Amino acid sequence: MRPYNSALVFARCVAGGLGMALDHVFEHIERCRDAFIERLCAYLRMPSISAQGIGIQENAEFLVSFLSGMGLAARLIDTAGWPLVHARRDDVPGGPRILLYGHYDVQPPDPLDQWVSPPFLPEIRDGRIYARGAGDNKGQHFANLLAIESLLAVDGALPCNVIVLLEGEEEVGSPNIAEFVRTHADLLDVDLVVTSDGPVHDSGRQTIEFGVRGVADFELRAKGANRDLHSGNFGGVAPNPIWTLVHGLATMKNPAGEITIDGFYDSIVPPTDLERDAIAAMPDGTAKVMADLGLSHLDAPQDRPFYDRLMAWPTLTINGFHGGYDGPGSKTVLPSEAFVKCDVRLVPNQTVAEIHEKIATHLRTHAPEIEFIPGGGMDPSRTPLDSPFTDPIRCAIVTATGEQPLLVPAMGGSLPEYVWTKILGKPAFVVPYANHDERNHAPNENIEFARFLNGIKIGAALLTELGGRSTADNLG
Ligand SMILES: [Zn+2]
């Protein structure tokens, strides 16, 4: 066993050692269980659909008055889009400060006819609350707000300094968060960022997620003649833009699964030993995923372990290919143009700008007739597993739930975590509270009571762990 593992297994959990104080907070949370569930339901009755501009301002104002009422200095911050809710409380001068990030906007509820109960009339069934936003993200950030409220109710002060930042545009791609972080470092004077969003591992284990893959979109276009042509009268005369794209794409990835864009892998930093150990310790879900997806084999290369695919390697995915005729029967057309949309999932230290530039350069050399149109993207993000904050977070989860969390070096998907790690320059962690079948973005979104209440306890234990360590270990 590596020293890292034994350190994690045997490290002291300060909150557990502080004992009584947190016990009283947990008792308070248990006592308030029904009231907390009812208050979450009331919050879920407020629609806040950023894509449609429904209820956003009202929701943001509700949060400001809730946070102010709890004794935080709370306010709305205007952006080019929907406002941010910012609140802070400084009970421990010179102590560590945590940023709790979440988002108060939700996805549109469509298709409405697939909901068992209406999306904005929360219903309780089988130990779960069903409503749009129950898991993504109201149930999760509300748990953190109730953790603050519970600590204040029991102790009258928070064990560490806190900033709460709730965004109203996450579900439309967070178009303004990077600019806000770039220009408001003074409002973000924190030591670490914790986001509670997404589901726990599908085994049910709590997780701490240390990073995300990035994503870079792009489109390729090819043109042939100035109009569609008869494939007999002009076949062999005018070039076919679909073949142009097929040949160009074939220079970008080979059948062995290697991405052959010139210099594509050059900036990649391989996983650290700690990350390798953590990836190897993930429960192997290959057989379950293959059965679920009806796959007879995984994507090339075959010998790559399951979680290496999602965490350690970039991808090049063709999202859609369009050109010519695909209707019923046949049509012997020689099309005049063709398009392909692609995305690249990025790993450290690849960047969106670098990969767009490399694709452009590659195409100029290997397929100059193809037009390259870069799209949007998000850089990857990674926080080291041996961050000084790993142990307080891990201990908080153990103290609140009695269970060791899985340490997940990166998620396969993308979140704008780079705004914390790269722009703000602080370690960032995702600690999800929702059940793995929360059905976020889909009909019948839900959160289990037990996970919501665990979230409140984890939040309270986390602030206590950070505070306890600041005096015990001079952390931060
Ligand atoms: Zn979402």
Side-chain angles (χ1 to χ4, degrees), residues 215-219 261 264 342-344 346 350-364 372-379:
V215 61
D217 297 336
F218 67 92
E219 187 175 329
I261 296 164
F264 183 80
C342 301
D343 75 60
V344 175
L346 308 166
Q350 294 176 311
T351 69
V352 175
E354 171 217 346
I355 291 303
H356 278 157
E357 183 53 42
K358 283 183 171 159
I359 297 167
T361 305
H362 175 92
L363 290 169
R364 273 198 297 275
F372 169 69
I373 301 146
M378 281 184 237
D379 286 344

Side-chain angles (χ1 to χ4, degrees), residues 313-438:
W313 290 90
T315 62
L316 168 58
T317 299
I318 299 172
N319 307 126
F321 202 140
H322 179 74
Y325 179 76
D326 60 3
S330 65
K331 180 184 178 189
T332 51
V333 64
L334 172 49
S336 66
E337 55 185 0
F339 314 88
V340 62
K341 284 186 185 273
C342 301
D343 75 60
V344 175
R345 295 286 168 171
L346 308 166
V347 297
N349 285 334
Q350 294 176 311
T351 69
V352 175
E354 171 217 346
I355 291 303
H356 278 157
E357 183 53 42
K358 283 183 171 159
I359 297 167
T361 305
H362 175 92
L363 290 169
R364 273 198 297 275
T365 308
H366 299 280
E369 61 280 29
I370 291 177
E371 183 188 3
F372 169 69
I373 301 146
M378 281 184 237
D379 286 344
S381 171
R382 202 72 106 237
T383 290
L385 267 76
D386 56 358
S387 159
F389 298 108
T390 302
D391 228 38
I393 298 171
R394 188 192 62 80
C395 281
I397 293 170
V398 172
T399 304
T401 69
E403 154 188 296
Q404 289 284 349
L406 281 173
L407 306 186
V408 181
M411 288 188 280
S414 304
L415 287 172
E417 289 288 285
Y418 75 96
V419 305
W420 315 124
T421 54
K422 287 191 170 178
I423 300 177
L424 195 61
K426 300 297 176 184
F429 307 84
V430 179
V431 181
Y433 296 158
N435 28 293
H436 76 92
D437 54 353
E438 61 168 319

Side-chain angles (χ1 to χ4, degrees), residues 67 70-72 87 89 98 100 141-154 157-159 162-164 456 459-460 463:
L67 287 156
M70 259 198 299
L72 277 71
R89 183 164 168 127
I98 183 174
L100 295 170
H141 68 252
F142 202 62
N144 281 332
L145 303 190
L146 292 174
I148 294 172
E149 185 191 90
S150 298
L151 285 164
L152 289 170
V154 173
L158 296 180
V162 173
I163 290 178
V164 173
I456 304 172
L463 301 190

Side-chain angles (χ1 to χ4, degrees), residues 133-195:
D136 184 12
N137 171 257
K138 288 180 172 174
Q140 303 206 43
H141 68 252
F142 202 62
N144 281 332
L145 303 190
L146 292 174
I148 294 172
E149 185 191 90
S150 298
L151 285 164
L152 289 170
V154 173
D155 296 332
L158 296 180
C160 70
N161 302 311
V162 173
I163 290 178
V164 173
L165 188 71
L166 300 173
E167 191 189 345
E169 302 185 295
E170 198 271 350
E171 299 294 9
V172 290
S174 299
N176 294 298
I177 193 78
E179 178 63 14
F180 170 76
V181 174
R182 209 170 275 126
T183 52
H184 290 81
D186 55 318
L187 296 178
L188 301 167
D189 51 328
V190 295
D191 298 294
L192 74 160
V193 178
V194 172
T195 300

